[in-house]
Amino acid sequence: MLEICFDYTVYAQIKAMYSVKNSNMAEIAVCPDNLSVGALVPFTPQNRFNELSVHGIEVPDDFIENYHQFFKMLKDAKKIRIWISNSPHELLGLYFISDFAYPQIRDLCVCSMSYLPQKYNENCLSCLPNKDWQDLITYSKNILVENYSGLWNRLLKENTTLRIYLNGKIVSVSVDYFDKEINTIAEYLNTDDIYTIADTALRSYTQRENVLFSIYFFIYRTEKLLRIN
């Protein structure tokens, strides 16, 4: 089985779970991309590198190499289990992987925080208490990838610069979606400190929707707006 997650804190937790159980270590892959930011078409590692970079996301030098390796692991996988919260970059990863795997793989096992009976102040896998990780497996579900593949293809057709979690679903929005909120916060705080404004705007969104989003994108937009104003 190929285990897929979206940050290295979760990767370490999955690895630790196998060690505790003395189980044979499965392959674990970390998706290198943040699919919530940047145009999706053409969908190539080089274009994704360019899109993330131009919109303020820090991208490692080996991003393209890692992406090709990620593609290879997906192609070789016979069974896949995905670890997610409702944060847009993780849900979008589920959609993309479903489309990539279909029709060779018809269903995926999904370990999602949204399936857990208990609720958390932060919908964040890397913040999940150690004692609750086994529950992710207990309450995991098998999903039909064809349904999520369709969602991914809709997003490819829309091909906006930003995709966010809003009112319980992923929606495509324009790059300036958060600009009004950023400007309002800058005026209210009466400061030109980029990080303070960006962090406040980010927390306003993440607390409202109980998801995570990239601080780097908010810094990028804040810096751009302050230069204009």
Side-chain angles (χ1 to χ4, degrees):
M1 179 184 289
L2 176 62
E3 308 275 12
I4 299 178
C5 59
F6 299 89
D7 73 61
Y8 283 97
T9 303
V10 177
Y11 170 91
Q13 186 66 48
I14 297 170
K15 192 172 181 180
M17 288 178 68
Y18 275 95
S19 299
V20 168
K21 293 181 178 180
N22 294 316
S23 304
N24 292 329
M25 183 66 68
E27 276 197 299
I28 308 173
V30 179
C31 178
D33 204 347
N34 181 343
L35 294 165
S36 58
V37 177
L40 297 173
V41 180
F43 194 76
T44 65
Q46 182 64 65
N47 186 59
R48 290 301 303 149
F49 177 92
N50 295 342
E51 286 293 318
L52 292 173
S53 299
V54 79
H55 291 103
I57 308 299
E58 291 189 348
V59 186
D61 293 337
D62 58 357
F63 175 88
I64 294 173
E65 178 185 347
N66 288 343
Y67 224 134
H68 285 297
Q69 178 61 26
F70 184 68
F71 280 150
K72 183 180 185 305
M73 295 175 79
L74 286 177
K75 186 177 180 180
D76 293 343
K78 299 295 186 288
K79 293 179 67 178
I80 294 175
R81 181 161 61 187
I82 300 179
W83 302 74
I84 61 171
S85 68
N86 281 339
S87 293
H89 69 289
E90 293 175 340
L91 283 175
L92 286 159
L94 170 62
Y95 299 174
F96 152 61
I97 291 162
S98 294
D99 185 64
F100 190 96
Y102 183 77
Q104 288 80 10
I105 294 177
R106 297 282 178 164
D107 63 297
L108 305 174
C109 179
V110 178
C111 295
S112 173
M113 285 188 69
S114 65
Y115 300 158
L116 298 179
Q118 59 271 43
K119 300 303 177 186
Y120 300 90
N121 292 330
E122 288 186 287
N123 199 296
C124 165
L125 270 183
S126 58
C127 306
L128 189 69
N130 289 340
K131 64 181 179 63
D132 293 341
W133 274 83
Q134 183 58 45
D135 287 349
L136 285 169
I137 296 176
T138 302
Y139 292 98
S140 65
K141 296 180 182 180
N142 285 343
I143 58 99
L144 294 176
V145 299
E146 186 175 4
N147 298 333
Y148 292 95
S149 173
L151 292 173
W152 177 249
N153 280 285
R154 173 178 62 79
L155 293 167
L156 289 179
K157 289 178 182 177
E158 292 168 350
N159 197 33
T160 56
T161 309
L162 212 58
R163 287 152 295 281
I164 64 171
Y165 187 82
L166 189 65
N167 299 325
K169 61 183 180 180
I170 296 291
V171 296
S172 297
V173 297
S174 62
V175 70
D176 61 356
Y177 179 83
F178 293 109
D179 285 6
K180 183 177 179 180
E181 189 163 16
I182 291 171
N183 280 327
T184 299
I185 286 169
E187 183 177 352
Y188 175 77
L189 295 177
N190 192 26
T191 180
D192 59 2
D193 184 88
I194 291 170
Y195 183 83
T196 298
I197 298 167
D199 183 59
T200 304
L202 172 62
R203 283 190 286 110
S204 175
Y205 165 66
T206 58
Q207 290 171 9
R208 193 164 59 243
E209 299 294 336
N210 196 20
V211 294
L212 299 181
F213 205 79
S214 171
I215 183 62
Y216 298 109
F217 176 79
F218 275 82
I219 290 172
Y220 155 74
R221 290 305 299 176
T222 302
E223 187 173 25
K224 191 175 185 70
L225 290 169
L226 288 183
R227 281 203 307 267
I228 293 172
N229 297 334

